[in-house]
Amino acid sequence: MTTIFRLTAVCLLSLSADIAYAYGSGQSSSHCDKPTFSEFQPAANKYLQSFQEFSLSASANTTPASIVVHVSAGDIKYEYTAKELYISQHKSGRYEVRGKIERPIEHGFVRISVTAHSKPGCEKTDGYLVRIQ
């Protein structure tokens, strides 16, 4: 009798698990394809005499209006939204993002970070350091 009870319990549990997945309470059906960033200029860990301009590439799935770049060097902090950046799209679909700070930074470390999303809730941040001699 206990064997029949166990088999019945196992069958009921496996059926209820399949029903839960059918209504989306199991694995998520939406996929997050985050944007990617590359071709940073100046290059990461580069030694420079001064720093004033930067550029990078963002993948084709990036929402251009969502791009924000932060440049910081000690107490100096800049934030550039998509409206303040030069963003152009290549034939491949990738975006070239360029920016220029008001005054050159002459010494220390500069951190450049970029944040963007490809669709709401699918965001990525990346960044790097350059050294000013």
Side-chain angles (χ1 to χ4, degrees):
M1 185 75 157
T2 57
T3 306
I4 293 174
F5 177 73
R6 288 182 185 166
L7 287 174
T8 304
V10 169
C11 288
L12 288 174
L13 289 173
S14 66
L15 286 175
S16 64
D18 290 338
I19 291 169
Y21 283 118
Y23 289 101
S25 59
Q27 296 176 341
S28 175
S29 60
S30 66
H31 176 69
C32 182
D33 189 16
K34 294 182 179 183
T36 58
F37 309 109
S38 61
E39 301 177 28
F40 294 101
Q41 291 297 322
N45 300 314
K46 180 104 176 171
Y47 288 88
L48 303 173
Q49 296 298 319
S50 69
F51 172 83
Q52 189 168 14
E53 297 181 14
F54 59 89
S55 68
L56 60 102
S57 289
S59 58
N61 66 332
T62 305
T63 303
S66 72
I67 299 172
V68 177
V69 176
H70 289 92
V71 176
S72 60
D75 294 338
I76 301 169
K77 297 189 185 326
Y78 298 101
E79 178 181 283
Y80 297 95
T81 63
K83 291 180 181 180
E84 299 163 314
L85 296 166
Y86 303 101
I87 301 173
S88 58
Q89 189 171 24
H90 292 278
K91 290 180 183 178
S92 66
R94 295 184 63 80
Y95 294 95
E96 180 182 358
V97 180
R98 293 181 294 125
K100 185 174 184 178
I101 62 174
E102 298 168 8
R103 302 171 85 194
I105 298 173
E106 301 291 334
H107 65 281
F109 290 92
V110 176
R111 170 118 179 112
I112 303 155
S113 64
V114 58
T115 302
H117 64 260
S118 56
K119 62 181 182 179
C122 192
E123 180 178 273
K124 182 173 180 185
T125 300
D126 199 356
Y128 64 101
L129 286 172
V130 293
R131 183 173 180 181
I132 314 302
Q133 298 177 333

